[in-house]
Amino acid sequence: NAPAPLVTEEDEEGTLWYPPDTGPLADYHDHGWLDGDPLDEPGLPSMEEYRKSPLYKMVRRNMQKQINEDRVLDDILENTLHVLGRCNEPANWDEDRRGLVYGMIQSGKTANMINLIASGMDAGYSLFIVLAGDKSSLRDQSQDRVNKAFELTNGINEAHRVHSSTHARDFDDRDGVSFKSAFMTAARLRGREYRNVIVIKKNIFLLRKL
């Protein structure tokens, strides 16, 4: 029978009110700039075109080794395209956009990230930097997922023009040559432009090098 605590106006402002559960993001049909008329813009796939993309098909096939449920993979793609449609459009950059995607442990964050990289490549992005924790074990684990998802051989997938200069080790560049030459080599291969994925620890020394 204790009396209710006195709530001041200051306390009320500091109270965290949780928003109502609006359901899964995949139920929404607003995909940002992806909802334009992408078929009129060469190189920008539509929602269905993403599913037919050879790059996405390869990534999906490799993800099926861990997630063997089409419904889950479709949901991951849907969520991925929601994220991509809220990033900057490569062909019409305008002001920088920033955002945050968060999830519980084992909720599919890495799978979403790999899908986002693949979908971003199809949309026109060419450089992806993954900040993979502050321990080498976490970086190596994320790099391994990237290597397998994009079928990198010595850091390169020639068929899909994907390259990762960090495929074997973190971005260190102690000699000032190795990573720069790796980028130059990838750019020259068969005269085709490559999309680059860098997986790096959140370490101030490495980030300054990058």
Side-chain angles (χ1 to χ4, degrees):
N1 295 323
L6 179 64
V7 178
T8 66
E9 189 175 339
E10 187 178 339
D11 291 331
E12 239 173 47
E13 287 182 2
T15 303
L16 176 62
W17 296 99
Y18 288 95
D21 183 1
T22 55
L25 184 60
D27 289 346
Y28 289 83
H29 299 290
D30 176 12
H31 300 95
W33 52 266
L34 288 174
D35 282 340
D37 191 6
L39 295 180
D40 291 339
E41 299 181 36
L44 182 61
S46 68
M47 287 284 294
E48 288 307 314
E49 292 299 312
Y50 273 107
R51 289 181 169 85
K52 299 174 188 175
S53 157
L55 180 64
Y56 172 71
K57 284 183 176 180
M58 177 190 71
V59 169
R60 183 179 178 118
R61 183 177 68 248
N62 290 321
M63 288 181 62
Q64 281 177 322
K65 297 170 185 175
Q66 293 183 313
I67 306 171
N68 195 21
E69 289 188 50
D70 284 338
R71 180 187 60 80
V72 175
L73 292 171
D74 286 342
D75 194 59
I76 290 173
L77 174 62
E78 182 74 16
N79 279 276
T80 295
L81 295 179
H82 275 288
V83 175
L84 180 60
R86 285 157 177 76
C87 296
N88 285 81
E89 180 182 358
N92 183 26
W93 196 261
D94 202 22
E95 295 182 3
D96 284 342
R97 296 183 183 180
R98 300 182 184 187
L100 172 68
V101 178
Y102 67 95
M104 299 291 287
I105 295 172
Q106 296 297 313
S107 63
K109 296 186 296 296
T110 305
N112 183 280
M113 178 190 70
I114 288 172
N115 267 261
L116 182 61
I117 292 173
S119 301
M121 288 178 179
D122 279 335
Y125 280 86
S126 58
L127 175 62
F128 303 84
I129 300 172
V130 180
L131 304 180
D134 59 356
K135 294 180 175 61
S136 293
S137 58
L138 293 174
R139 191 218 77 87
D140 294 347
Q141 188 179 58
S142 296
Q143 181 74 60
D144 185 58
R145 292 280 295 272
V146 168
N147 291 348
K148 289 176 178 175
F150 292 97
E151 297 181 2
L152 303 182
T153 302
N154 294 326
I156 291 175
N157 182 322
E158 289 194 37
H160 294 284
R161 298 180 292 116
V162 180
H163 172 238
S164 177
S165 60
T166 56
H167 69 98
R169 59 188 175 90
D170 205 350
F171 194 99
D172 194 341
D173 196 19
R174 292 184 183 182
D175 57 8
V177 175
S178 56
F179 284 98
K180 292 175 185 175
S181 63
F183 276 107
M184 291 169 64
T185 301
R188 288 199 304 263
L189 283 172
R190 300 175 183 262
R192 305 164 75 196
E193 184 180 347
Y194 273 63
R195 285 77 65 91
N196 294 277
V197 183
I198 296 174
V199 183
I200 183 173
K201 287 197 298 290
K202 286 185 276 191
N203 174 292
I204 190 167
F205 171 78
L206 299 178
L207 293 173
R208 281 176 176 163
K209 287 286 187 180
L210 179 61

